[in-house]
Amino acid sequence: MSGSTQQTRRVILASLIGTSLEWYDFFLYTTAATLVFPKLFFPSLDPFTAVLASLTTNAVAFVARPLGGVVFGHFGDRVGRKTVLVVTLLMMGVSTFLIGVLPGYAAVGVLAPILLALLRFVQGLGLGGEWGGAVIMSLEHGDGRRRGFNASWPQVGVPAGYVLATGLLTIMSFTMSDAAFLSWGWRVPFLLSGALVFVGMWVRLKITESPLFAEVEQRGAKAKMPLLEVLRTHPRALLSAFTARIGVDVAFYTFTAYIIVYITGTLELPRSYALNAVLIGSALQLVLIPLAGALSDRYGRRPVYLAGVVGAAVWVFAFFPLLDTGSFPLIALAAVVALVTHAAMYGPQAAFIAELFSTRLRYSGASMGYQVAGVVGGALAPIIALQLYESFQSTIAVSAYVVAALAVTAVGLAIAPETRDLDLVAVPEDEGAPKARPVGPFA
């Protein structure tokens, strides 16, 4: 039922490659929105307003992600995980490539930023549908005793995408003049996505459908309206998935996005201090996230997850004082330890959220809980942090905000069952959420 080891590895590789490319595209836009797009698409505005307008187009993706989760979650539970994953990857790759050939304001006027926002919206739709499918395919294949480890690999796509996107833009900006980079150099990483997506498509087309979904399909037990059934039968699971993610997102975007604003704006230090510090931490996460997933298979999802929550809540009060030193080694230390705590949360998160829902509703339930929380957490975190510092002129207020969000996550963990021991194969497809059943050596 679980499929061969070779097929499981192929599915995990396909999920990792796909999510890495999706996040590469996503972070590529985020970085370009501060470096390039204000001058290229909003040249008639003053510098501050141009950056603000550019970041607004960036935020469009966060609004689109829940919609993508709902739409593709529905089809993932109706027609299958594999088909949806191919569509979402194609959407992201094509929209990113088109951004790379988009004319600027000087060529087509106000149509340029409108098209930019539209393509960013399509990116958000694709990413919103991607996460649930990639995680669930990895989760539903393979040994039930390694679900935490298997499902953590799509999570590795976040740091992998960040490293790839930031690294390429950094290389392009340092190997050519500012004029050349602004004229055409920034387009190269976007155009490269068009070639990379074919690699991802080739890998994904070779994988088989989830065996658990295939069984549901064979029995004729697919949900007619998955989202409505999730709302009716899994309200507690949905609430737990939503709250369990909020603190993780707030901490992550404070540690990786607000750090750039704080270092360059408040401390007036080089941007490279922040980017390189986060780059080092992200590179370490490539190993730490699957390690945390593996630990959750041994000790449980909630204990490992909670260890990361506590660690982040404590470290955030050391994070800003270390940044205030202005010393790059200490700034790097602040970012690295912060991302270690994030890895402890993010590694088991995928399996924890997906396991809260029964197979016939898993794509819709997991996607909805995860993506809606992203709007409340990730989209607003840098903005709220900026406003708190402006209001109180103290990072203590920002740290307190992160701790409050992490407390919400702790509540989400508290109201959920320990999901490590669920036997997903034996769970009856009734109207309730999965009940805990011992699996293998965890009995």
Side-chain angles (χ1 to χ4, degrees), residues 289-421:
I289 288 175
L291 174 61
L295 289 174
S296 78
D297 286 328
R298 184 176 181 85
Y299 299 107
R301 314 286 185 240
R302 294 193 302 174
V304 178
Y305 207 136
L306 187 59
V309 170
V310 173
V314 171
W315 186 251
V316 73
F317 288 101
F319 180 74
F320 288 106
L322 287 172
L323 300 186
D324 289 339
T325 64
S327 166
F328 176 72
L330 293 179
I331 290 173
L333 175 65
V336 166
V337 176
L339 290 178
V340 168
T341 67
H342 175 261
M345 297 182 283
Y346 206 55
Q349 182 187 77
F352 171 77
I353 291 178
E355 289 165 345
L356 290 172
F357 303 91
S358 54
T359 300
R360 63 199 296 270
L361 302 173
R362 185 165 294 129
Y363 206 138
S364 295
S367 295
M368 185 177 180
Y370 184 90
Q371 300 299 348
V372 173
V375 178
V376 180
L380 298 180
I383 299 172
I384 292 175
L386 182 62
Q387 290 298 321
L388 285 172
Y389 185 81
E390 288 297 315
S391 299
F392 295 96
Q393 291 297 304
S394 171
T395 57
I396 296 296
V398 180
S399 298
Y401 161 59
V402 174
V403 170
L406 289 168
V408 173
T409 288
V411 172
L413 295 175
I415 65 175
E418 173 53 60
T419 62
R420 178 196 66 177
D421 295 338

Side-chain angles (χ1 to χ4, degrees), residues 253-263 266 320 382 385-386 389 398:
Y253 282 99
T254 300
F255 294 149
T256 61
Y258 181 67
I259 185 178
I260 299 175
V261 176
Y262 185 73
I263 283 181
T266 304
F320 288 106
L386 182 62
Y389 185 81
V398 180

Side-chain angles (χ1 to χ4, degrees), residues 28-370:
L28 195 62
Y29 188 103
T30 302
T31 305
T34 59
L35 296 178
V36 177
F37 294 163
K39 298 176 182 177
L40 191 64
F41 293 98
F42 305 97
S44 62
L45 303 177
D46 65 85
F48 176 81
T49 307
V51 172
L52 189 61
S54 180
L55 291 176
T56 300
T57 67
N58 181 53
V60 165
F62 284 94
V63 178
R65 282 170 63 179
L67 180 59
V70 169
V71 172
F72 291 112
H74 172 86
F75 287 107
D77 286 327
R78 289 291 302 162
V79 303
R81 289 55 161 129
K82 177 182 174 180
T83 301
V84 171
L85 282 176
V86 170
V87 172
T88 57
L89 182 61
L90 190 61
M91 282 178 61
M92 180 65 91
V94 170
S95 58
T96 303
F97 179 85
L98 290 177
I99 290 173
V101 298
L102 201 62
Y105 186 90
V108 295
V110 72
L111 183 61
I114 291 175
L115 291 174
L116 181 68
L118 179 62
L119 290 171
R120 183 56 168 172
F121 186 82
V122 176
Q123 279 191 325
L125 287 176
L127 189 62
E130 165 73 20
W131 180 85
V135 164
I136 289 168
M137 283 289 280
S138 299
L139 180 88
E140 292 181 345
H141 281 81
D143 191 340
R145 295 168 298 181
R146 293 167 60 87
R147 291 198 307 257
F149 177 72
N150 291 346
S152 70
W153 282 103
Q155 306 285 75
V156 177
V158 174
Y162 182 89
V163 169
L164 186 59
T166 305
L168 274 175
L169 279 175
T170 300
I171 291 173
M172 297 300 296
S173 62
F174 277 103
T175 55
M176 58 180 59
S177 66
D178 289 344
F181 178 74
L182 190 62
S183 175
W184 61 269
W186 69 272
R187 297 181 183 273
V188 174
F190 283 86
L191 298 177
L192 183 60
S193 177
L196 293 175
V197 75
F198 283 107
V199 177
M201 291 286 288
W202 178 75
V203 174
R204 282 197 168 172
L205 287 171
K206 288 183 172 294
I207 63 176
T208 60
E209 181 56 87
S210 156
L212 296 186
F213 176 81
E215 181 182 330
V216 169
E217 189 173 39
Q218 185 178 14
R219 296 202 321 268
K222 292 188 295 184
K224 293 182 178 179
M225 295 296 292
L227 179 60
L228 295 180
E229 288 197 41
V230 168
L231 293 171
R232 181 171 59 87
T233 64
H234 292 62
R236 185 169 179 171
L238 201 56
L239 178 62
S240 181
F242 175 79
T243 52
R245 184 171 181 229
I246 287 178
V248 184
D249 249 23
V250 169
F252 177 74
Y253 282 99
T254 300
F255 294 149
T256 61
Y258 181 67
I259 185 178
I260 299 175
V261 176
Y262 185 73
I263 283 181
T264 58
T266 304
L267 301 182
E268 297 182 348
L269 295 171
R271 182 189 300 270
S272 61
Y273 277 30
L275 290 177
N276 291 337
V278 175
L279 202 60
I280 294 169
S282 297
L284 288 175
Q285 282 197 316
L286 300 177
V287 175
L288 294 175
I289 288 175
L291 174 61
L295 289 174
S296 78
D297 286 328
R298 184 176 181 85
Y299 299 107
R301 314 286 185 240
R302 294 193 302 174
V304 178
Y305 207 136
L306 187 59
V309 170
V310 173
V314 171
W315 186 251
V316 73
F317 288 101
F319 180 74
F320 288 106
L322 287 172
L323 300 186
D324 289 339
T325 64
S327 166
F328 176 72
L330 293 179
I331 290 173
L333 175 65
V336 166
V337 176
L339 290 178
V340 168
T341 67
H342 175 261
M345 297 182 283
Y346 206 55
Q349 182 187 77
F352 171 77
I353 291 178
E355 289 165 345
L356 290 172
F357 303 91
S358 54
T359 300
R360 63 199 296 270
L361 302 173
R362 185 165 294 129
Y363 206 138
S364 295
S367 295
M368 185 177 180
Y370 184 90

